[in-house]
Amino acid sequence: MKLHILWGDGRGAMKAVILANGEAGDLGFLRENVSRGDVLICCDGGARWAEALGLRPDHIVGDMDSVPPELLGKYRESGVNRAVWPADKDFTDLELAVSFARGLGADAVDILAALGGRPDHAMANICVLSQAPGAARILEPGLEIRAVAAGMELEIKGKAGDVVSLLPLEEARGVATEGLKYPLRGETLFPGFARGVSNEMAAGAARVAVGEGVLIVFHLSHNMSYPE
């Protein structure tokens, strides 16, 4: 079975916020960004972070193997919708949560608490962005991660001196940038090579476009204000 995640069909602007099951870090950061969403989805054990924030999620998605049973029972009794999948499945819980968000009509998805913990889980969560390029992003304090795919252009808003790294998931051709200290002009970035790492923003905005392939774009700033 293949999981399809499609975006941009004009069904109206809606932002979903997903609480994943990684490290939460700053709960104030989580609370601020959850407040910007229209719907709150907990990705399995991410329900723990909703509980820590004193929030009632709209949905819990996953195989429910990492949600404390008493917490799951509490949310079940309060009427929280549960989209339950079998433990033996071909998709991660985050993949399911992002697809579920799209099924609700979300045009944008902010993913919180997606990093930390097991490095393989963190990498898998970052790779999920390639299934929703431009529409989904991972947010951490001082860090925004997005994907940009073939034929797309991504705008980055920040400050001069912010670090921008471009890492290809596959061979990325026709990579062009504007507003970065070290410009790329229709060039190719190869997986396993670090040419796109640690560029810098020259001003408050930059653009990244790719002709073929998929890039993961990391934007790092200690004083980042995330656009809504």
Side-chain angles (χ1 to χ4, degrees):
M1 187 171 72
K2 187 174 181 180
L3 188 67
H4 295 280
I5 303 178
L6 305 175
W7 301 88
D9 62 0
R11 293 171 63 183
M14 176 195 291
K15 176 183 285 187
V17 176
I18 295 175
L19 288 174
N21 193 30
E23 297 297 326
D26 184 352
L27 291 181
F29 176 83
L30 294 188
R31 186 182 301 278
E32 177 184 356
N33 283 280
V34 166
S35 70
R36 296 179 176 181
D38 300 298
V39 59
L40 176 59
I41 301 170
C42 287
C43 181
D44 206 321
R48 297 177 296 122
W49 305 130
E51 169 73 359
L53 294 169
L55 299 176
R56 178 184 179 276
D58 297 295
H59 308 275
I60 303 175
V61 179
D63 56 21
M64 309 300 158
D65 67 342
S66 55
V67 186
E70 64 277 9
L71 180 58
L72 188 60
K74 171 186 173 181
Y75 283 142
R76 181 172 57 244
E77 291 175 4
S78 65
V80 173
N81 179 57
R82 295 172 300 123
V84 182
W85 286 69
D88 294 331
K89 59 188 187 301
D90 295 328
F91 317 111
T92 67
D93 290 326
L94 184 59
E95 284 182 280
L96 297 174
V98 173
S99 180
F100 186 87
R102 185 63 193 114
L104 295 176
D107 300 285
V109 177
D110 283 352
I111 305 168
L112 309 174
L115 307 180
R118 282 177 48 175
D120 54 339
H121 283 178
M123 180 174 287
N125 288 345
I126 291 171
C127 290
V128 168
L129 297 174
S130 68
Q131 300 185 30
R137 60 181 181 171
I138 290 174
L139 298 181
E140 296 280 331
L143 173 65
E144 178 183 35
I145 311 174
R146 290 182 183 264
V148 58
M152 292 180 58
E153 180 179 279
L154 180 67
E155 182 178 15
I156 305 169
K157 296 181 180 179
K159 300 178 179 63
D162 285 0
V163 173
V164 174
S165 290
L166 310 177
L167 297 181
L169 290 183
E170 56 189 75
E171 187 174 304
R173 298 178 177 272
V175 179
T177 65
E178 296 179 10
L180 296 182
K181 182 177 180 180
Y182 307 105
L184 296 172
R185 299 182 176 91
E187 299 175 56
T188 300
L189 296 180
F190 297 93
F193 293 85
R195 184 180 179 189
V197 172
S198 293
N199 211 324
E200 294 182 13
M201 293 184 66
R207 289 180 172 81
V208 177
V210 59
E212 300 177 26
V214 180
L215 288 176
I216 301 295
V217 180
F218 296 78
H219 174 204
L220 299 95
S221 171
H222 293 298
N223 300 302
M224 184 178 291
S225 175
Y226 298 97
E228 296 187 32

